[in-house]
Amino acid sequence: VNYLNSVPRNPAFFRDWQAKHNVASHDVPILSKKGASQKDSPETESTRYIFVPLQVNTDSQIVLFSPWVDNMEHLIRVLSAAASALGDQIPKIIIKTHPACDTDYSQLAAQLPSKRIELITSGDTPSLIANATGVVTINSTVGIEAILAGIPTLVLGQAFYAIEGLTLSAQDETTLASGLVELSSFTADEKLRAGWLHYLRHEYQVSGGWRKADDSHLAAMTDKIIQTVTSS
């Protein structure tokens, strides 16, 4: 998932992939809003909100690949400023802390404009994604989940899924504010999305996980290494 991975970034590559493999929308996974749990979530289906997942400040994704947002505290502040400036132009913003981060944001949370922005420390992330009108992330894997769910996504950092037509991007506070407004009307290019997801699942990804590697995962990794070496 790192920004420096080898996944192509050219939208035309994935549109060509979609056409070459005849990938239809129903051939790629999508998280149903109706199937998402509402348990332990502050939102309801009738509430419009943008979901923002915080990341770990010391993660390489933030240290190396977040050019203009310094850390999560800075992210909260720029979101707060945008929400205050835009007012009723955007839905409520729900920010959720990362479960692996022990930073205390309570003082900062107390200073938030309560009617437009809220910081929570618990809740079911898949439900928060699926029931959102949009997702804003620096470069979290939540961005991938949002694309899977068909949720409009705004990327603030360097991410391999920050591809024109697939997601929106913001490079500063001005484009963040305009991106928050644009999220409500943004729809990803479905051929691009279908090709991107199909490529990841059937070409790029190796099934299984290295933390609990079994024989099938090791065999798949071996095949991928051989394929990579012979094609280079």
Side-chain angles (χ1 to χ4, degrees):
V1 299
N2 190 282
Y3 175 67
L4 297 182
N5 68 30
S6 60
V7 175
R9 312 297 155 90
N10 185 353
F13 174 88
F14 298 107
R15 293 191 184 99
D16 291 344
W17 182 276
Q18 181 272 337
K20 179 181 177 181
H21 296 271
N22 195 28
V23 184
S25 298
H26 59 263
D27 293 329
V28 296
I30 185 166
L31 177 62
S32 169
K33 290 187 179 184
K34 292 182 179 179
S37 170
Q38 299 288 322
K39 183 180 179 182
D40 298 327
S41 297
E43 78 288 350
T44 65
E45 290 187 2
S46 61
T47 302
R48 292 174 54 81
Y49 68 92
I50 292 172
F51 177 51
V52 184
L54 296 188
Q55 296 174 237
V56 178
N57 287 311
T58 55
D59 192 294
S60 62
Q61 290 284 73
I62 303 304
V63 176
L64 300 176
F65 306 120
S66 182
W68 69 277
V69 180
D70 298 332
N71 49 48
M72 298 307 102
E73 188 170 309
H74 186 205
L75 174 59
I76 294 171
R77 292 190 185 282
V78 296
L79 285 168
S80 298
S84 296
L86 294 169
D88 292 338
Q89 285 186 271
I90 59 170
K92 179 177 181 178
I93 295 176
I94 294 180
I95 303 172
K96 182 176 179 289
T97 58
H98 194 285
C101 183
D102 57 3
T103 303
D104 182 2
Y105 296 104
S106 57
Q107 284 190 327
L108 192 57
Q111 302 170 14
L112 296 174
S114 58
K115 290 185 178 181
R116 306 308 303 170
I117 190 165
E118 178 184 0
L119 190 146
I120 62 174
T121 58
S122 63
D124 181 59
T125 297
S127 293
L128 286 162
I129 296 168
N131 293 300
T133 58
V135 166
V136 176
T137 180
I138 295 176
N139 45 28
S140 168
T141 53
V142 169
I144 303 172
E145 295 179 68
I147 296 169
L148 277 167
I151 304 299
T153 303
L154 174 63
V155 183
L156 308 186
Q158 296 173 316
F160 79 96
Y161 51 82
I163 299 173
E164 185 177 358
L166 182 66
T167 58
L168 296 172
S169 294
Q171 296 77 39
D172 51 35
E173 292 188 30
T174 300
T175 50
L176 167 59
S178 60
L180 288 171
V181 174
E182 189 179 350
L183 264 180
S184 62
S185 60
F186 176 75
T187 301
D189 180 319
E190 191 52 40
K191 290 183 178 180
L192 170 57
R193 176 182 172 274
W196 188 80
L197 289 171
H198 189 274
Y199 174 84
L200 290 185
R201 175 64 185 89
H202 296 283
E203 178 69 19
Y204 186 78
Q205 175 180 285
V206 177
S207 296
W210 60 269
R211 289 185 176 87
K212 295 182 179 180
D214 55 17
D215 289 343
S216 62
H217 175 66
L218 294 174
M221 279 301 303
T222 301
D223 290 342
K224 176 63 74 173
I225 291 170
I226 293 172
Q227 176 188 349
T228 302
V229 171
T230 55
S231 62
S232 62

